[in-house]
Amino acid sequence: MPSLRCPCDVTLRGETDDELVEKVQEHLAAEHPGREYSREEILFMAI
């Protein structure tokens, strides 16, 4: 299960890469307006 820990201390997880990317982009829009990352950048940072 891919996951990514945001510097604001929120950990986001998805069942698939696509789900993780969607959750990260939603989190960024809601909590960090103006911050945008591509799918490739998000997956590069994911564990």
Side-chain angles (χ1 to χ4, degrees), residues 10-38:
V10 170
T11 300
L12 301 152
R13 292 182 178 84
E15 291 294 322
T16 65
D17 287 351
D18 289 338
E19 186 178 10
L20 175 64
V21 169
E22 183 178 334
K23 288 183 176 186
V24 169
Q25 289 174 337
E26 289 173 357
H27 172 74
L28 289 169
E31 302 297 326
H32 311 288
R35 296 255 184 205
E36 294 183 12
Y37 293 97
S38 69

Side-chain angles (χ1 to χ4, degrees), residues 3-13 20 24 45-47:
S3 67
L4 186 145
R5 186 175 192 104
C6 182
C8 75
D9 212 29
V10 170
T11 300
L12 301 152
R13 292 182 178 84
L20 175 64
V24 169
M45 293 183 276
I47 57 170

